DNA sequence: GTTAGGG
DNA sequence: CCCTAAC
């Protein structure tokens, strides 16, 4: 039971650490040592003991990391593995952008696409389960505490010593070590042998990583990560400072430092400075400084990301004109796979910006259980933690259903997740075609006894509000601007309306989330917004037509014959709730289901 | 993450 | 039903 963070991309370590600083967890491993790096997530107890992170803590960290540029997810339910996978765009994507630049001049977009996708592809981290328990694999038994992560922390000095001695071994153990001595040409050969294609990438580090990942992926055993992880255990000198443990450790080992800098040069020049700074400082005294610096850096980058808040959707439309100026630069959306033309002028700007820019759009190809099937998708399509049951399946059938399920969930558009039925079989079926069949859901939904059927299907597994809303008919509505947007439509049934009215009477108008949760639990496709909208319409209807008359139903709309009694009830509720001013602000979350009078007293804003 | 409103 | 601003 230990948490492991695998970081790919040499600059991702900082983000992980930054994220960790906000939590109570620390990394038990040196960072910037090699790539990918595996960290353990541990919590430092008051007495200095290291305890494996709990699930909650992991989730927290996962959330923090997700705010960064890493995509994270729990890899194995048992091992609490938390993998932070950098999207290859920035750290390793840059090189091939460069290298392919010359070609891109003559090549068309399609060619670029192919090239990019080839270069940017990223394997699904594997071998997660093996991460959890094998301090044994540690062939480099160096000093004492090299094993248990859980053991108490030793004295800082001795620890650091062991650290130093460890690192060389570490690098040797690393899976890519054998590649280190190869020339670029040789690496190219290996690459070709591994992936069956050539590469123009000159970046040694990238090549090594890709090869290592490729191999790892294909054999589903990540010896690399395992070994690495074991090594780090030892280190953990001044954890008690509760801060960055590893700052400056890199400098202690020249070889590693060198290698790393080499990488930095190739991939992201901006980092050179940072690392030089880091390695140049004395770790003991300057920890604070470094932390601050790093934090600032992280903050800056975060800020930079958030600064651009043009939330308006039509920004896209605005950029339409801009795109023309750019000469065919692709506008990316979730619809079309955003391929970033390698022509972009990123090389003209500072490395960091380029790096960030590179992350904006990403091609990610998740390998499917070694079958080689890959699916392009947009960065961060799926951010939530994989289901445990899925992971379990994955364990037992690495190339089978588990993988498939994961694949489906990861690769598909979040908003149109296709797993509404909650049935794995369905998923399995569906994924092969990758198209799914919305129709079946349409008919099913029309039945309108869904409370039983749907509820039954979904209850056992999980309730995924966002994912379950997609089982309805999807119509594309042409927009004025020429674009199209999907429009779901599901007529409100009488039973739904009644439930809504009942809910409003119980919990009060405005507490839509409550109503949704408590009264519409089985109607997964009705969101709180839907309820609100519907209530608004009901009010309109109830007041507009027949203030005194009840039996008038507009025959014009056979689709929605709201019975008069209901309308009357709506009106009653509205008036009733309108009478009471909008008071109680203090006890907002209070009376939910116990006090009816209070609920009824709540003001209806519509 | 929710709610209110406009579209 | 979609999209956002406010909260």
């Amino acid at each position: 039971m230990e948490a492991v963070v695998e970081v790919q991309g040499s600059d991702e370590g900082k983000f992980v650490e930054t994220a960790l600083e906000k939590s109570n967890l620390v990394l038990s491993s040196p960072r910037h040592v090699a790539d990918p790096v595996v960290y353990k997530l541990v919590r430092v107890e008051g007495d200095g003991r290291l305890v494996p992170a709990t699930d909650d803590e992991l989730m927290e960290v996962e959330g923090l990391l997700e705010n960064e540029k890493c995509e994270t997810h729990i890899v194995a339910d048992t091992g609490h593995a938390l993998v932070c996978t950098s999207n290859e765009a920035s750290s390793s994507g840059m090189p091939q952008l460069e290298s392919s630049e010359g070609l891109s001049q003559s090549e068309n977009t399609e060619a670029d696409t192919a090239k990019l996708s080839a270069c940017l592809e990223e394997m699904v981290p594997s071998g997660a389960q093996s991460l959890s328990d094998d301090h044994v694999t540690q062939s480099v038994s160096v000093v004492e505490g090299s094993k248990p992560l859980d053991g108490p922390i030793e004295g800082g000095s001795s620890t650091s010593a062991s650290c130093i001695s460890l690192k060389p071994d570490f690098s040797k153990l690393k899976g890519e070590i054998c590649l280190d001595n190869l020339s670029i040409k040789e690496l190219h050969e290996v690459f070709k042998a591994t992936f069956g294609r050539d590469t123009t990438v000159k970046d040694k580090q990238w090549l090594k990583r890709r090869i290592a990942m490729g191999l790892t992926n294909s054999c589903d055993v990540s010896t690399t990560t395992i070994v690495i992880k074991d090594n780090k255990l030892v280190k953990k000198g001044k954890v008690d400072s509760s801060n960055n443990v590893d700052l400056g450790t890199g400098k202690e080992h020249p070889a590693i430092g060198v290698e790393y800098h080499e990488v930095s040069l190739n991939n992201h020049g901006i980092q050179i400075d940072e690392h030089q700074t880091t390695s140049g400082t004395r770790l003991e005294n300057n920890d604070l400084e470094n932390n601050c610096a790093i934090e600032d850096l992280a903050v800056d980058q975060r800020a930079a990301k958030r600064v651009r808040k043009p939330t308006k959707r039509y920004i896209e439309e605005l950029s339409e004109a801009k795109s023309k100026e750019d000469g065919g630069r692709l506008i990316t959306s979730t619809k079309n796979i955003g391929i970033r033309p390698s022509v972009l002028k990123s090389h003209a700007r500072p490395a960091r910006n380029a790096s960030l820019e590179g992350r904006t759009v990403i091609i990610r190809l998740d390998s499917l259980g070694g079958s080689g099937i890959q699916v392009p998708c947009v960065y961060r399509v799926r951010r939530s933690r994989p289901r445990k049951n899925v992971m379990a399946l994955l364990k037992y059938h690495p190339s089978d259903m588990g993988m498939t399920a994961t694949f489906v969930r990861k690769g598909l558009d979040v908003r149109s997740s296709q797993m509404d039925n909650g049935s794995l079989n369905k998923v399995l079926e569906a994924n092969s075609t990758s198209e799914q069949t919305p129709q079946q859901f349409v008919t099913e939904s029309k039945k309108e006894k869904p409370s039983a059927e749907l509820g039954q299907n979904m209850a056992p597994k999980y309730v995924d509000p966002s994912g379950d809303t997609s089982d309805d008919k999807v119509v594309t509505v042409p927009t004025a601007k020429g674009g199209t947007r999907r429009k779901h439509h599901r007529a409100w049934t009488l039973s739904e309306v009644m439930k809504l009215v009942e809910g409003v009477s119980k919990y009060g108008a405005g507490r839509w989330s409550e109503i949704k949760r408590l009264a519409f639990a089985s109607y997964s496709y009705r969101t709180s917004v839907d309820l609100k909208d519907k209530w608004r319409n009901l009010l309109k209807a109830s007041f507009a037509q027949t203030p005194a008359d009840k039996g008038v139903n507009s025959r014009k709309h056979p689709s929605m014959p709201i019975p008069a009694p209901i309308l009357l009830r709506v009106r009653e509720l509205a008036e009733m709730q309108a009478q009471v001013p909008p008071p109680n602000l203090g006890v907002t979350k209070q009376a939910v289901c116990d006090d009816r009078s209070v609920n009824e007293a709540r003001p209806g804003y519509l």
Side-chain angles (χ1 to χ4, degrees):
Chain A
M1 282 268 294
E2 58 196 35
V4 176
V5 178
E6 179 186 58
V7 180
Q8 291 164 351
S10 35
D11 61 339
E12 259 63 45
K14 278 199 294 296
F15 287 86
V16 175
E17 290 185 358
T18 304
L20 290 180
E21 285 172 13
K22 298 169 190 163
S23 70
N24 293 323
L25 303 181
V26 296
L27 297 178
S28 65
S29 61
R31 60 185 189 129
H32 301 329
V33 177
D35 183 9
V37 178
V38 174
Y39 297 101
K40 286 187 173 182
L41 274 181
V42 294
R43 185 178 62 254
V44 184
E45 294 287 33
D47 56 356
R49 283 184 308 116
L50 293 184
V51 230
T54 66
D55 267 337
D56 287 343
E57 287 167 324
L58 284 176
M59 293 301 283
E60 181 189 353
V61 172
E62 186 181 14
L64 290 171
L65 289 173
E66 280 186 2
N67 290 333
E68 302 296 352
K69 41 187 180 178
C70 300
E71 181 178 1
T72 65
H73 51 270
I74 305 293
V75 172
D77 44 356
T78 56
H80 296 90
L82 197 159
V83 170
C84 172
T85 317
S86 75
N87 37 94
E88 299 258 2
S90 73
S91 54
S92 50
M94 269 0 214
Q96 72 269 25
L97 283 184
E98 254 176 26
S99 60
S100 62
E101 193 167 14
L103 300 172
S104 63
Q105 302 265 2
S106 54
E107 288 178 10
N108 58 17
T109 312
E110 208 171 338
D112 284 341
T113 299
K115 184 177 292 292
L116 268 180
S117 44
C119 293
L120 293 178
E121 72 179 349
E122 183 176 80
M123 300 305 188
V124 173
S126 60
Q129 60 268 53
S130 50
L131 287 177
S132 47
D133 56 33
D134 42 40
H135 311 317
V136 196
T137 17
Q138 172 105 8
S139 53
V140 194
S141 61
V142 184
V143 201
E144 68 300 342
S146 55
K147 298 225 177 115
L149 160 76
D150 338 297
I153 308 176
E154 274 74 19
S157 57
S158 68
T159 313
S160 68
S162 65
C163 261
I164 299 177
S165 59
L166 265 183
K167 283 179 184 167
D169 298 326
F170 171 158
S171 62
K172 279 180 190 170
L173 284 175
K174 197 168 175 343
E176 326 176 14
I177 184 63
C178 54
L179 304 173
D180 283 344
N181 298 327
L182 299 181
S183 67
I184 291 185
K185 190 177 293 182
E186 290 167 322
L187 284 172
H188 279 178
E189 292 177 6
V190 178
F191 185 96
K192 187 173 183 180
T194 305
F195 298 103
R197 65 166 190 274
D198 288 315
T199 178
T200 58
V201 177
K202 303 282 195 299
D203 185 279
K204 229 175 168 180
Q205 174 67 16
W206 184 88
L207 287 168
K208 286 190 288 184
R209 189 197 313 172
R210 293 295 303 116
I211 293 167
M213 289 172 66
L215 293 174
T216 294
N217 185 68
S218 60
C219 62
D220 199 345
V221 172
S222 175
T223 53
T224 301
T225 45
I226 296 171
V227 178
I228 294 175
K229 161 193 118 191
D230 289 333
N231 279 325
K232 0 289 256 24
L233 304 182
V234 196
K235 112 133 289 162
K236 196 77 275 51
K238 47 207 186 322
V239 186
D240 39 19
S241 69
S242 86
N243 261 334
N244 212 325
V245 190
D246 314 299
L247 272 175
T249 52
K251 77 148 187 211
E252 293 181 338
H253 192 281
I256 290 170
V258 170
E259 157 141 359
Y260 185 73
H261 282 221
E262 188 178 298
V263 175
S264 300
L265 266 170
N266 288 334
N267 284 349
H268 6 266
I270 185 104
Q271 284 192 246
I272 299 175
D273 294 341
E274 300 167 12
H275 297 313
Q276 284 175 344
T277 303
T278 301
S279 51
T281 52
R282 285 174 293 113
L283 62 148
E284 293 291 339
N285 298 332
N286 292 334
D287 262 0
L288 202 61
E289 266 181 41
N290 282 331
N291 283 336
C292 291
I294 287 178
E295 190 143 13
D296 288 348
L297 173 66
V299 169
D300 285 348
Q301 297 194 4
R302 266 199 303 277
K305 279 198 291 189
R306 287 171 186 174
V307 163
R308 55 175 187 79
K309 66 149 192 189
T311 51
K312 307 283 187 181
R313 189 169 190 267
Y314 54 72
I315 278 289
E316 200 173 46
E317 297 163 358
L318 292 180
S319 66
E320 198 175 358
K322 194 179 179 182
S323 70
K324 290 178 181 175
E325 297 172 6
D326 281 3
R329 175 172 171 174
L330 289 183
I331 302 300
T332 62
S333 70
T334 44
K335 265 290 178 107
N336 52 19
I337 312 143
I339 308 293
R340 208 177 172 67
S342 53
V343 210
L344 85 180
K345 61 268 174 162
S346 60
H347 59 276
R349 61 182 67 168
R352 182 183 304 177
N353 289 342
S355 182
L356 286 176
E357 174 98 9
R359 292 179 189 280
T360 309
V361 176
I362 260 282
I363 304 294
R364 174 169 177 153
L365 302 176
D366 288 337
S367 155
L368 177 58
S371 64
I373 301 177
Q374 295 175 325
V375 168
C377 57
V378 176
Y379 177 42
R380 286 200 173 184
V381 284
R382 176 73 188 178
R383 300 174 47 180
S384 61
R385 171 179 183 171
R387 318 231 72 85
K388 285 195 174 183
N389 53 338
V390 171
M391 296 317 294
L393 285 172
L394 189 147
K395 271 185 167 178
Y396 298 135
H397 310 289
S399 62
D400 208 347
M401 180 162 144
M403 257 324 212
T404 308
T406 308
F407 160 80
V408 168
R409 291 192 68 81
K410 287 189 69 175
L412 297 179
D413 182 0
V414 179
R415 296 188 64 174
S416 62
S417 167
Q418 305 178 353
M419 299 188 57
D420 17 339
N421 260 5
S423 149
L424 278 178
N425 313 346
K426 283 280 161 67
V427 173
L428 199 58
E429 266 180 51
N431 94 333
S432 58
T433 49
S434 151
E435 269 282 328
Q436 180 73 347
T437 64
Q439 303 82 357
Q440 74 186 72
F441 300 117
V442 181
T443 55
E444 164 184 312
S445 61
K446 294 244 173 180
K447 290 271 178 188
E448 215 38 72
K449 261 306 189 186
S451 57
E453 192 163 343
L454 278 180
Q456 172 183 349
N457 279 339
M458 332 197 58
K461 289 292 180 179
Y462 48 83
V463 181
D464 191 354
S466 66
D468 296 333
T469 59
S470 61
D471 50 355
D472 45 291
K473 188 180 192 172
V474 175
V475 195
T476 51
V477 175
T479 309
K481 302 289 183 174
T484 63
R485 73 176 182 184
R486 295 190 305 275
K487 186 173 185 176
H488 302 190
H489 184 69
R490 193 171 220 142
W492 276 74
T493 65
L494 196 59
S495 61
E496 285 177 307
V497 172
M498 293 194 312
K499 270 197 185 276
L500 174 60
V501 171
E502 187 185 349
V504 170
S505 73
K506 262 187 182 173
Y507 313 115
R511 320 206 22 179
W512 306 118
S513 63
E514 294 285 345
I515 299 174
K516 196 268 184 289
R517 242 194 11 249
L518 299 170
F520 277 76
S522 11
Y523 299 81
S524 59
Y525 44 85
R526 296 295 182 205
T527 69
S528 55
V529 175
D530 291 330
L531 303 189
K532 182 261 301 176
D533 285 343
K534 184 55 182 175
W535 181 252
R536 185 169 52 177
N537 289 335
L538 282 177
L539 281 182
K540 203 192 304 177
S542 70
F543 280 121
Q545 94 177 348
T546 110
D549 180 5
K550 28 200 94 181
V552 176
N553 305 336
S554 58
R555 292 150 252 176
K556 306 149 85 173
H557 305 303
S559 57
M560 215 178 61
I562 297 181
I566 292 186
L567 288 180
L568 181 61
R569 176 91 172 114
V570 168
R571 211 151 50 93
E572 285 175 8
L573 286 172
E575 287 168 349
M576 191 186 312
Q577 300 191 4
Q579 288 175 1
V580 185
N584 53 19
L585 225 69
V587 213
T588 341
K589 210 69 179 180
Q590 170 242 350
V592 176
C593 48
D594 48 359
D595 192 344
R596 186 163 190 233
S597 61
V598 169
N599 291 328
E600 292 217 340
R602 288 197 67 78
Y605 298 102
L606 275 176

